[in-house]
Amino acid sequence: MVVTSYEEEVEVQLKPNYDHESELKAFDDSKTGVKGLVDAGVTKLPRMFINEKNQLNNISIGGDGSTVASKQFSVPVIDLEGIHGGRGSAQRAEIIKKARDACEKWGVFQIVNHGIPTSVVDDMIDGVRRFHEQDTEVKKEFYSRDVKRAFSYHSSFVLPYAPAVCWRDCFFCNMAPQPPDPQELPDVCRDVVIDYSKRMMGLGIALFEVLSEALGLDPNYLKDMDCAEGLYLGCHYYPACPEPDLTFGNCNHTDKSFFTILLQDQLGGLQVLHQNQWVDVPPLPGALVVNTGDLLKASPSNIGPTDFCIMTQSTDSSVSMYLI
């Protein structure tokens, strides 16, 4: 049978002899992740990664795998220079106003002049790559979906029952309130993970102060509620995909946290849902993306979570710091 369209291709792959559960198990048992498939030279996307066409259309992905994002909107960019000025200073008041507007209207914004050195940002992205591109046998030691582990590596928490798996590999660290023993972290990224996490905790506390004031509260209000006690580090790696028009790097979702501080590299692919339109979040040198999560939706304000997705256009590394 000659396959001439997406519908026919999916129909062929959904024949009764296709065993989705077995394919998931074989992939999981390999402990090599998506990178393992790429290293093996896969040229056709395994069925387990193929998304329903209506889901792909909802995210507006082109036939060549490129995104079809709205050009009508631009994600707000906030300059944090002056964030540590005294309460009531003109610079700090302007930052708070912009943060309030961005949270109410978007739920997401980019920040620059945030105090994290470019060298640390670059090394963190390199650390993600170093882990995912190291010898497979070394990575296998960390393969697990056990959320209680200090450090784990896998492709999806929901792999055993996922209708379609995202084209990515990830590693996760629980960095607070109880930091892991450094020896529990891989040596290829240990130092930068520890350093980056400490710096992110400081930045997160500063952002909680801004958000507290944006809500008309005392600067320490959210911090005193222990909102800044937890810190979860998720590092995602998106290998080059043979058929990017059939899958996602990360499906649309909201983050189940107070907020996420996301570091993306310069390749792009991140989108946010705004006024029922998917909008690109263009990479800016040194910038970080702040995404409000589900827990902030419970606060007495218009702040709420924002839908995110990541397209599969090319190799990418992103780092997400979940403050919970």
Side-chain angles (χ1 to χ4, degrees), residues 7-40:
E7 288 84 358
E8 290 182 27
E9 179 178 352
V10 173
E11 182 181 354
V12 167
Q13 296 194 48
L14 286 178
K15 284 183 177 181
N17 62 353
Y18 170 68
D19 190 337
H20 182 65
E21 184 176 342
S22 294
E23 186 178 39
L24 288 174
K25 186 177 187 305
F27 176 74
D28 195 28
D29 289 344
S30 74
K31 299 183 179 181
T32 61
V34 171
K35 181 64 163 54
L37 296 175
V38 174
D39 291 344

Side-chain angles (χ1 to χ4, degrees), residues 87-273:
R87 188 177 186 184
S89 70
Q91 277 186 307
R92 185 176 177 87
E94 182 64 18
I95 292 170
I96 291 169
K97 178 181 181 301
K98 289 181 178 180
R100 179 173 58 247
D101 290 344
C103 288
E104 290 180 348
K105 297 174 182 177
W106 280 83
V108 61
F109 52 93
Q110 298 207 64
I111 53 175
V112 295
N113 291 324
H114 42 68
I116 311 298
T118 301
S119 59
V120 176
V121 168
D122 292 343
D123 196 21
M124 188 65 234
I125 291 178
D126 288 343
V128 176
R129 291 183 181 276
R130 288 195 300 269
F131 174 84
H132 288 289
E133 294 178 359
Q134 69 180 320
D135 184 82
T136 299
E137 293 304 312
V138 176
K139 286 193 298 183
K140 282 183 177 181
E141 298 177 16
F142 299 98
Y143 191 89
S144 174
R145 285 188 300 279
D146 183 357
V147 296
K148 296 181 180 179
R149 287 188 57 163
F151 184 99
S152 62
Y153 140 73
H154 54 78
S155 291
S156 172
F157 278 115
V158 297
L159 185 65
Y161 44 89
V165 181
C166 290
W167 186 261
R168 68 174 188 188
D169 291 327
C170 322
F171 73 71
F172 298 91
C173 315
N174 283 299
M175 301 303 295
Q178 295 296 325
D181 184 325
Q183 297 306 312
E184 296 180 277
L185 305 178
D187 56 7
V188 295
C189 58
R190 178 184 300 140
D191 292 343
V192 70
V193 163
I194 294 172
D195 182 29
Y196 186 81
S197 298
K198 289 179 179 177
R199 295 175 186 270
M200 277 292 132
M201 181 61 81
L203 176 59
I205 290 173
L207 288 173
F208 272 121
E209 292 177 356
V210 168
L211 291 175
S212 293
E213 290 192 57
L215 293 169
L217 303 169
D218 181 86
N220 294 321
Y221 188 87
L222 292 174
K223 179 185 175 183
D224 289 345
M225 289 177 60
D226 295 333
C227 295
E229 289 297 303
L231 180 60
Y232 194 61
L233 173 65
C235 300
H236 313 295
Y237 177 81
Y238 307 91
C241 183
E243 296 179 290
D245 55 316
L246 300 182
T247 191
F248 295 114
N250 202 345
C251 295
N252 59 307
H253 67 282
T254 60
D255 291 332
K256 302 183 187 303
S257 60
F258 284 106
F259 59 76
T260 299
I261 302 175
L262 171 69
L263 164 62
Q264 58 174 334
D265 67 9
Q266 298 302 303
L267 295 179
L270 179 67
Q271 292 187 337
V272 59
L273 187 64

